[in-house]
Amino acid sequence: MRLRLLDTDGSLPLQPGFAAALAEGRAQRVDLRAEEEALRLWASRRRLDRLGLRLAGLPPPPGEGPPVTFYGSGDYHHLAALLIEAVAEPVTVVHFDNHPDWVRWPRTWNCGGWVSRVLDLPQVRRVVTLGPCGDDLVRPQLKMGNLAALADGRLELYPWSAPPSWVWGGIGDGPGHRREGSHLVWRCLAEENWPAFLDELAGRLPTEAIWISIDKDVLRPEDAVTNWDQGRMPLAALLAAVRRLPMGKRVVGIDVCGEYSPPRFTDPLKRIEAWRDHPHGVQDPIMALERNDVTNRALVAALAEIPA
């Protein structure tokens, strides 16, 4: 694979696995520390366009196979939309996350709404989201969730575990849910035979090309330390998925976020947003680095098995 680190917040180069990859010439580092705050949580379209031009002008990362981009905290997950924009063919996005990131409003480039921005791209045929189990699915329409995309099949959503969601309007059954009265009853992955589910999902992906987007907050706290509330997917399940789903497909790109870094803001709006959305506990940065290094090494090894 071709490994690239977008160093947004300093969380990646300090990890021994990535430090060795950089020292040995197996990875490319792009220094974005000067834009750490400007890119965090949300970014202007103009700033993203400048970043896209900068990335397009760089030589490709070393190696062969699909580009794999790590870029720090999940506060930067909207950078996935920038990367997917560059895909020039029909593509399906397979998205692992503890949050659906499907907010329709405000229509900005933000970490909670990037999936809706990606669904506006003509080359994206479908987004398949795997793993949420937070409160985003409680009365999702009141939280601006993109139920329209769920209703017309452009979006499939499979929580790891979640109670039925109260909804209104003409939302029928879908692959990841069924309608029962005023509720959507979810097909929860914790109750599935995981290998059989992955086989089924792989057979239904509508395009030859796929993009894999991973926020490690989908994982249990014992497997990763992040800036967000975390899900319940075991690391072994995530590794099995990234090995199985590319079979018979062509992976055109992979992005990974979900590191831990202390947010620092001069912008009062971003400070308020981070206080409102982030858990308020303080993480041990050394423990976070060590735990995420172990998980990232395992993830990189699994991603390296994807055919060129």
Side-chain angles (χ1 to χ4, degrees), residues 169-306:
I171 304 168
D173 294 348
H177 65 275
R178 67 180 188 275
R179 182 71 179 259
E180 289 190 0
S182 60
H183 288 81
L184 297 184
V185 178
W186 300 101
R187 183 177 176 184
C188 292
L189 298 178
E191 302 167 4
E192 293 283 327
N193 177 305
W194 192 235
F197 171 79
L198 294 175
D199 287 344
E200 175 198 331
L201 179 61
R204 289 195 298 99
L205 298 179
T207 59
E208 177 191 1
I210 65 171
W211 184 285
I212 298 174
S213 183
I214 300 170
D215 186 336
K216 293 200 302 294
D217 70 14
V218 76
L219 296 171
R220 305 172 301 176
E222 55 262 45
D223 291 321
V225 180
T226 80
N227 286 103
W228 292 82
D229 57 298
Q230 289 183 228
R232 300 174 194 149
M233 183 180 287
L235 177 59
L238 176 60
L239 298 178
V242 301
R243 289 186 171 105
R244 171 62 187 91
L245 294 176
M247 293 181 183
K249 299 292 182 179
R250 183 166 44 83
V251 177
V252 294
I254 301 157
D255 70 86
V256 185
C257 63
E259 309 307 319
Y260 174 75
S261 61
R264 303 177 182 90
F265 297 111
T266 59
D267 182 334
L269 292 179
K270 289 195 173 187
R271 186 183 297 118
I272 292 169
E273 185 73 12
W275 181 87
R276 188 174 67 87
D277 285 346
H278 288 168
H280 291 170
V282 177
Q283 300 286 7
D284 177 349
I286 301 302
M287 180 269 290
L289 184 148
E290 292 174 347
R291 187 170 300 174
N292 290 336
D293 177 61
V294 171
T295 292
N296 284 335
R297 287 173 187 259
L299 190 53
V300 166
L303 296 174
E305 299 175 16
I306 295 174

Side-chain angles (χ1 to χ4, degrees), residues 79-256:
L79 298 187
L82 176 68
L83 301 175
I84 295 167
E85 271 188 330
V87 177
E89 61 183 301
V91 65
T92 301
V93 178
V94 181
H95 167 218
F96 297 87
D97 207 314
N98 189 43
H99 309 91
D101 290 351
W102 61 347
V103 172
R104 294 181 292 109
W105 186 89
R107 290 183 60 83
T108 57
W109 296 85
N110 65 83
C111 62
W114 71 270
V115 166
S116 289
R117 304 292 79 75
V118 161
L119 285 167
D120 291 336
L121 298 174
Q123 68 269 39
V124 173
R125 297 295 188 263
R126 185 177 301 162
V127 175
V128 180
T129 296
L130 305 172
C133 56
D135 63 2
D136 301 89
L137 301 180
V138 177
R139 298 181 181 265
Q141 287 155 310
L142 298 180
K143 299 173 181 175
M144 299 295 171
N146 197 340
L147 274 292
L150 195 73
D152 67 17
R154 291 179 297 132
L155 174 65
E156 294 182 17
L157 195 153
Y158 301 87
W160 188 257
S161 61
S165 298
W166 181 85
V167 296
W168 69 86
I171 304 168
D173 294 348
H177 65 275
R178 67 180 188 275
R179 182 71 179 259
E180 289 190 0
S182 60
H183 288 81
L184 297 184
V185 178
W186 300 101
R187 183 177 176 184
C188 292
L189 298 178
E191 302 167 4
E192 293 283 327
N193 177 305
W194 192 235
F197 171 79
L198 294 175
D199 287 344
E200 175 198 331
L201 179 61
R204 289 195 298 99
L205 298 179
T207 59
E208 177 191 1
I210 65 171
W211 184 285
I212 298 174
S213 183
I214 300 170
D215 186 336
K216 293 200 302 294
D217 70 14
V218 76
L219 296 171
R220 305 172 301 176
E222 55 262 45
D223 291 321
V225 180
T226 80
N227 286 103
W228 292 82
D229 57 298
Q230 289 183 228
R232 300 174 194 149
M233 183 180 287
L235 177 59
L238 176 60
L239 298 178
V242 301
R243 289 186 171 105
R244 171 62 187 91
L245 294 176
M247 293 181 183
K249 299 292 182 179
R250 183 166 44 83
V251 177
V252 294
I254 301 157
D255 70 86
V256 185

Side-chain angles (χ1 to χ4, degrees), residues 54-74:
R54 179 180 173 187
L55 297 179
L58 294 174
E64 299 179 350
V68 178
T69 303
F70 283 75
Y71 50 97
S73 167

Side-chain angles (χ1 to χ4, degrees), residues 2-7 12 18 21-22 25-31 55 57-62 68-70:
R2 293 178 284 144
L3 180 59
R4 176 173 57 181
L5 309 182
L6 302 186
D7 186 9
L12 296 170
F18 288 134
L22 290 168
R26 294 184 284 108
Q28 177 190 73
R29 174 180 174 265
V30 181
D31 186 357
L55 297 179
L58 294 174
V68 178
T69 303
F70 283 75

